[in-house]
Amino acid sequence: MQDFLFYLVSGLCIGSIFALVAVGYTLVYGIIKLVNFAHGEFYMVGAYASFGTYSLLPSSTSPWLAIPLMVLAGGTAGAAIAGLTERVAYKPIRRSGRLAALLTAIGVSFLLQNLFAFFSQARPLQYPTEPHGSVGEICQRTVLLGTDGLVLIRFAYIGAAVLFCALLWYLVLRTRFGRAMRAVSQDADAATLMGIDVDRVIRHTFLIGGGLAGVAGTLIALQGVTEPMMGFLPGLKAFVAAVLGGIGNIAGAVVGGLLLGVIESLAVWAGVPTGYKDVAAFVILILVLVIRPQGLLGRVTRVKV
Amino acid sequence: MLNITHLSVAYGPVRALTDVALHVAAGEIVTLLGANGAGKTSLLRAISGLTPATRGSIQLEGTELTRLPPAQIVRHGLAHCPEGRRIFPELTVAENLDLGAYCRPTDPAAKRANLACAFAYFPVLAERRQQKAGTLSGGEQQMLALGRALMSSPKLITLDEPSLGLAPRMVDLLFDIIRQINRAQRTTVLLVEQNANEALLHADRGYVLENGQITLSGTATELRGNPRVQAAYLGV
């Protein structure tokens, strides 16, 4: 039973990361109906920016200052790369159909992975766990939950998810910009007629989504590794989470992300070998598509021909 | 107010409008008649910038609109009620109206006045302000589209088939209100209609558009008496 608690909490932690990434997926999909397969790479770029910031800081910097700075750098870099990708790759082909956009997204994903593999010589980076009290060491500290030690920094995942989802909720539902976002996602032409600069709304949506992915990547890398392919699987899983919750639906992405994390974790608890836990996500994707294609919180939409 | 000269619009190789000239004076209601596919919607979309003009000039109070992005055109005093109403179905009535004033963020007093005005013309919108716009009836949605247009304090409103799919009583009510808006706010109206009878009843002047070209123009009375208009659009 104590074991169960450990896996449940652990699942919620990792689910928070999926939620942060899935929200960006779903925002972009909601605005321009693009499944942005490069979204996982924004996460990876965030982690690299965080590592870069760490290397630049003097070794005497307190980790309690360094970690927030690294998260900030990761988020900023995620936003920047998302903004750049939108400007360079997606904007020019916005009227060329969804298939072109989807293929472009896959292309951007490969491009970023390989660029970072090239420049980092594909060597995974890790924060050194020496000396005591350094960033790397603090991020490896654990707390005993039942019989297993849970890495403390993982609770920050939940904190970050709660904080950023609350901010996003406020932004989307309570601000003028949020209203413009919702208008664009429902009818871009009509939004233009209201005087809304649709290009600007799309650009800012990418910045927000990319920023959240960058933060998520930074947090994961704090106790793991930073490497060029690190965004691939979380990106796919966040996509599953977004579909699970109903793609285009922000609350759905949060619920989907948390649920996916918990299901994966409990699958291991129930005896699925750890190596197979990734399968759980994709089994869920298939089940959702078969049983409830609109997702948990999504609504059925009819496509008019 | 609105002065269009030598306007041509093409969708790739397909010409929608050829050398159109049209003008609307301040305070007028001008109607644009024509069959399906004559180019009426293209003309309104060219004015609001949604469809770029290939040639010619569109001036609103002396400002050239053809070079402006559509989101800027709204700020020069044009409100375009597009075909099919195009309200935001998932937003509430209040949020829809609020977006109508999006282009005038710095003038909360005008926004309050316009909101009061929209609610005065359409009391049903006040009753349903917290309801999602998609749950309104067709007539109420058209009211919302008009109310939303009023929120930007427009000098010129262009209406694309406001009567489409509405019950005759609702059509009467709507045209009545369009006329009141025209008189009370001194708002100029350019009206595209299939319902030529209603349109000519309320308009000061009219144009007939055929295959992308203006073939007739005149006062509403002249057009009503014209045998060609009677045969083609009035069903006399």
Side-chain angles (χ1 to χ4, degrees):
Chain A
M1 200 56 219
Q2 284 180 333
D3 248 16
F4 178 81
L5 186 69
F6 170 81
Y7 282 104
L8 182 69
V9 173
S10 173
L12 278 176
C13 294
I14 196 72
S16 297
I17 293 291
F18 293 155
L20 279 174
V21 185
V23 161
Y25 244 115
T26 233
L27 277 177
V28 166
Y29 184 85
I31 291 274
I32 53 169
K33 305 288 173 281
L34 162 70
V35 177
N36 177 23
F37 276 116
H39 198 68
E41 275 55 57
F42 304 163
Y43 167 102
M44 176 266 292
V45 171
Y48 269 99
S50 157
F51 201 92
T53 306
Y54 168 81
S55 325
L56 289 176
L57 288 172
S59 54
S60 58
T61 313
S62 151
W64 306 113
L65 174 66
I67 293 174
L69 281 176
M70 289 157 67
V71 172
L72 184 70
T76 309
I81 192 73
L84 186 71
T85 302
E86 196 273 330
R87 184 70 196 79
V88 174
Y90 299 150
K91 194 175 175 213
I93 55 151
R94 202 176 290 150
R95 300 199 181 272
S96 314
R98 288 167 69 171
L99 185 61
L102 188 70
L103 292 175
T104 306
I106 295 172
V108 170
S109 169
F110 286 160
L111 178 74
L112 288 173
Q113 281 170 13
N114 287 292
L115 270 179
F116 275 80
F118 180 75
F119 286 111
S120 68
Q121 280 116 41
R123 255 199 311 265
L125 303 170
Q126 244 175 320
Y127 296 100
T129 52
E130 293 288 322
H132 186 82
S134 67
V135 168
E137 189 267 329
I138 284 172
C139 292
Q140 297 294 346
R141 287 183 192 169
T142 57
V143 62
L144 212 59
L145 203 64
T147 49
D148 299 277
L150 188 71
V151 183
L152 261 175
I153 192 79
R154 288 197 164 195
F155 288 103
Y157 304 172
I158 299 180
V162 169
L163 173 69
F164 286 111
C165 291
L167 284 176
L168 193 68
W169 176 84
Y170 181 81
L171 178 82
V172 171
L173 290 181
R174 289 283 177 271
T175 67
R176 183 174 129 89
F177 176 74
R179 221 167 9 245
M181 262 175 99
R182 286 182 291 149
V184 172
S185 86
Q186 286 172 43
D187 189 332
D189 267 358
T192 303
L193 290 178
M194 301 298 109
I196 294 169
D197 184 343
V198 173
D199 282 344
R200 182 172 153 265
V201 170
I202 292 173
R203 191 163 63 238
H204 288 192
T205 303
F206 268 90
L207 292 180
I208 295 166
L212 295 180
V215 167
T218 300
L219 290 174
I220 282 288
L222 279 176
Q223 55 116 19
V225 292
T226 302
E227 49 100 9
M229 293 297 293
M230 67 181 283
F232 178 68
L233 206 50
L236 277 184
K237 286 184 184 171
F239 172 63
V240 174
V243 172
L244 175 60
I247 190 141
N249 183 315
I250 298 173
V254 177
V255 172
L258 292 175
L259 213 55
L260 186 65
V262 170
I263 291 171
E264 254 191 34
S265 189
L266 291 186
V268 177
W269 172 75
V272 174
T274 318
Y276 283 103
K277 80 170 196 303
D278 295 338
V279 176
F282 302 107
V283 170
I284 288 169
L285 177 64
I286 293 166
L287 288 179
V288 170
L289 291 178
V290 171
I291 299 167
R292 199 178 155 83
Q294 72 272 34
L296 294 176
L297 303 187
R299 293 204 308 167
V300 183
T301 52
R302 288 183 185 81
V303 177
K304 283 187 196 158
V305 186
Chain B
M1 169 72 56
L2 181 71
N3 204 6
I4 297 177
T5 48
H6 300 300
L7 178 69
S8 296
V9 167
Y11 300 97
V14 185
R15 301 198 88 172
L17 294 174
T18 311
D19 201 24
V20 166
L22 176 151
H23 79 97
V24 183
E28 271 190 315
I29 299 184
V30 170
T31 184
L32 194 61
L33 305 177
N36 274 332
K40 305 182 302 281
T41 296
S42 294
L43 181 54
L44 293 196
R45 286 177 63 91
I47 296 171
S48 63
L50 287 179
T51 302
T54 31
R55 261 195 68 225
S57 143
I58 303 170
Q59 293 194 336
L60 182 65
E61 291 196 316
T63 309
E64 180 61 47
L65 301 185
T66 49
R67 280 187 290 273
L68 289 176
Q72 280 302 318
I73 291 176
V74 191
R75 290 173 174 78
H76 284 87
L78 172 77
H80 175 186
C81 284
E83 195 177 10
R85 305 168 193 124
R86 307 289 284 267
I87 49 147
F88 302 106
E90 295 293 318
L91 300 184
T92 64
V93 169
E95 286 174 322
N96 266 276
L97 290 170
D98 215 61
L99 279 167
Y102 185 89
C103 60
R104 306 235 182 281
T106 53
D107 198 349
K111 185 168 149 185
R112 272 195 302 277
N114 286 335
L115 193 65
C117 177
F119 284 159
Y121 285 126
F122 307 111
V124 68
L125 296 183
E127 286 165 34
R128 314 233 150 143
R129 63 210 293 177
Q130 292 312 327
Q131 216 167 306
K132 279 195 178 169
T135 65
L136 300 180
S137 74
E140 289 163 351
Q141 291 191 9
Q142 187 60 59
M143 293 177 179
L144 178 57
L146 253 174
R148 187 178 65 177
L150 287 178
M151 291 299 291
S152 64
S153 321
K155 296 172 197 151
L156 171 67
I157 296 188
T158 58
L159 297 167
D160 199 345
E161 306 220 5
S163 74
L164 195 72
L166 300 185
R169 257 190 63 210
M170 185 61 84
V171 176
D172 285 342
L173 176 72
L174 214 61
F175 277 108
D176 244 24
I177 291 174
I178 290 170
R179 222 160 147 170
Q180 282 180 42
I181 292 170
N182 168 253
R183 295 223 177 106
Q185 332 278 129
R186 303 289 302 148
T187 309
T188 311
V189 177
L190 178 57
L191 172 68
V192 160
E193 257 301 332
Q194 289 271 346
N195 191 339
N197 270 312
E198 277 292 333
L200 286 176
L201 210 59
H202 296 284
D204 302 305
R205 288 192 302 114
Y207 290 84
V208 175
L209 197 61
E210 284 172 2
N211 294 321
Q213 287 175 299
I214 302 274
T215 51
L216 257 181
S217 68
T219 65
T221 325
E222 283 168 10
L223 288 178
R224 262 206 307 274
N226 183 301
R228 265 177 66 202
V229 174
Q230 286 181 347
Y233 304 108
L234 297 178
V236 176

